[in-house]
């Protein structure tokens, strides 16, 4: 398998990474941080009702 960098990706060693509306985490120990960040992105990007 080729490294992600050859496809133009960048690896960031952080608990949570936000890129626009994409929120991702490194691995299984990081969901608590991911769960805190996800609503923040939703509030900032989703239209208010």
């Amino acid at each position: 398998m080729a490294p992600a960098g050859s496809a133009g990706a960048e690896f960031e060693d952080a608990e949570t990474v936000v890129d626009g509306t994409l929120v991702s985490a490194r691995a299984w120990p990081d969901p608590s941080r991911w769960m805190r960040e996800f609503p923040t992105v939703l509030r900032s990007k989703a239209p208010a009702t």
Side-chain angles (χ1 to χ4, degrees), residues 5-22:
S6 64
E10 293 180 24
F11 176 76
E12 187 172 325
D13 189 16
E15 289 180 338
T16 305
V17 177
V18 178
D19 184 11
T21 57
L22 176 67

Side-chain angles (χ1 to χ4, degrees), residues 24-48:
S24 61
R26 285 182 296 216
W28 66 269
D30 299 326
S32 60
R33 180 72 180 129
W34 182 91
M35 294 291 283
R36 282 190 294 268
E37 195 63 39
F38 188 70
T40 303
V41 171
L42 284 177
R43 278 192 290 278
S44 70
K45 303 292 182 180

